[in-house]
Amino acid sequence: MARVTAKRLPSVQYSHFRGRAIGVGTAAWILHRISGILLTIYLMMHIVVIGQSVRSKEAFDAALHFVQKPPFVVLDCALAGTVAYHALNGLRLISFDLGWGIRAQKLLFGISLILAVATFVVSLVAARSLL
Amino acid sequence: MAVVLRRENIATPRRSSLVERNVWPWILQRITGVVLVVLMAIHIIVNHFGNLDKVGKTINGVNHTDLIMFNDVAYRLGMAFWWVIDVALLAFVLFHGFNGIRNIALDMGLTDRAEKAVTAVLTVVGVIGFGFGIAALIAFRKY
């Protein structure tokens, strides 16, 4: 008996899908992770764009003039929706950690998703002058 | 004869379990998450939606030919309140984002060495991001 503990733990990502249909909880979990990765990638790009201020005032204004073109505005609205989903689902997860609302988990996921899509649509309407 | 292997019989001390050594990251991920809901709401409403009405107007001596103007951000960062909000947002969002990426990596089942490497790389990238973000904020005070 050389080894007491296994060196490598099993993958949580893998065990979630093994032989099972994807339920509401898993769907929420996948979307939370994907949105989290996308938001972190966006965060780095955001710091680089805003960081143009280090070069010069003109460089900053030029960079922000470029990213107000319609394709970027649509992406920004999608970003607002992604943030809304991640925030609402995050609050849903914290409420479960506190033991609240676990029985309403499917309803709470539905509300998070609907409000996120609503945020995207409202953002598009609000920013219509730039489209 | 069965050999009972006891923890005290093992020469090298056992490394704390994955859960044991990630209690603080777990708690901080939730605290920063709740704070970020508030900070992000302020950030998005003021800095993104708040600028939509300014396009084509002159406000606080700033001519808004575009949605977001350097001078407008500089005016806002002349206020201590916005410095606090922006620095807190930068620090919290970097921790939350990179700790989240680390959580995904840990869930893949890493060896101790790989875990240390992932933690080190993400910490370095996060600290560089924070330094660059602070430099970007300071640049607005030069004008």
Side-chain angles (χ1 to χ4, degrees):
Chain A
M1 207 195 243
R3 281 254 185 83
V4 180
T5 51
K7 232 182 161 194
R8 199 174 188 281
L9 293 162
S11 164
V12 175
Q13 266 83 260
Y14 173 73
S15 58
H16 251 268
F17 303 109
R18 199 172 38 190
R20 271 177 237 138
I22 293 174
V24 173
T26 305
W29 176 79
I30 296 167
L31 286 177
H32 198 75
R33 296 222 144 166
I34 292 173
S35 60
I37 293 169
L38 291 176
L39 291 174
T40 308
I41 294 168
Y42 170 78
L43 170 66
M44 298 315 283
M45 298 194 298
H46 190 51
I47 289 176
V48 170
V49 171
I50 299 301
Q52 296 306 306
S53 66
V54 175
R55 291 171 63 202
S56 72
K57 182 174 146 177
E58 290 70 28
F60 179 87
D61 281 340
L64 279 123
H65 177 74
F66 181 76
V67 295
Q68 74 171 48
K69 291 188 195 319
F72 290 104
V73 173
V74 174
L75 284 173
D76 276 349
C77 295
L79 174 75
T82 308
V83 170
Y85 173 76
H86 198 83
L88 292 167
N89 192 59
L91 292 175
R92 172 179 168 272
L93 296 178
I94 291 170
S95 89
F96 297 166
D97 286 341
L98 296 169
W100 303 333
I102 296 169
R103 265 185 259 176
Q105 70 107 349
K106 290 183 182 179
L107 174 70
L108 291 171
F109 169 70
I111 292 171
S112 302
L113 203 58
I114 288 166
L115 288 179
V117 174
T119 304
F120 173 58
V121 175
V122 169
S123 302
L124 279 176
V125 173
R128 65 190 178 281
S129 60
L130 293 169
L131 295 172
Chain B
M1 202 177 101
V3 178
V4 180
L5 196 62
R6 292 211 164 109
R7 187 139 293 145
E8 51 266 38
N9 293 339
I10 303 164
T12 49
R14 190 184 65 110
R15 194 156 181 243
S16 58
S17 81
L18 194 65
V19 172
E20 280 164 6
R21 78 186 105 98
N22 283 297
V23 167
W24 275 107
W26 183 84
I27 292 171
L28 287 173
Q29 189 73 352
R30 270 131 191 89
I31 293 171
T32 53
V34 172
V35 175
L36 279 171
V37 172
V38 179
L39 290 177
M40 287 294 277
I42 295 171
H43 178 78
I44 290 174
I45 290 168
V46 174
N47 299 14
H48 295 259
F49 288 100
N51 284 321
L52 287 166
D53 292 339
K54 296 183 190 170
V55 182
K57 295 176 192 161
T58 301
I59 299 163
N60 298 322
V62 180
N63 182 22
H64 272 268
T65 51
D66 280 329
L67 187 65
I68 294 168
M69 309 294 295
F70 184 96
N71 286 335
D72 189 44
V73 182
Y75 173 81
R76 199 166 51 74
L77 285 172
M79 293 175 251
F81 172 79
W82 284 107
W83 262 89
V84 174
I85 292 281
D86 283 2
V87 173
L89 185 61
L90 182 66
F92 277 48
V93 84
L94 280 166
F95 175 85
H96 192 88
F98 286 111
N99 191 49
I101 300 290
R102 182 173 173 272
N103 286 341
I104 296 172
L106 294 187
D107 274 353
M108 286 161 62
L110 300 178
T111 59
D112 280 2
R113 259 188 78 186
E115 187 195 318
K116 278 179 185 161
V118 165
T119 305
V121 168
L122 291 175
T123 305
V124 168
V125 175
V127 168
I128 290 171
F130 184 74
F132 196 64
I134 293 292
L137 287 176
I138 290 171
F140 286 100
R141 308 219 72 171
K142 287 191 301 196
Y143 292 86

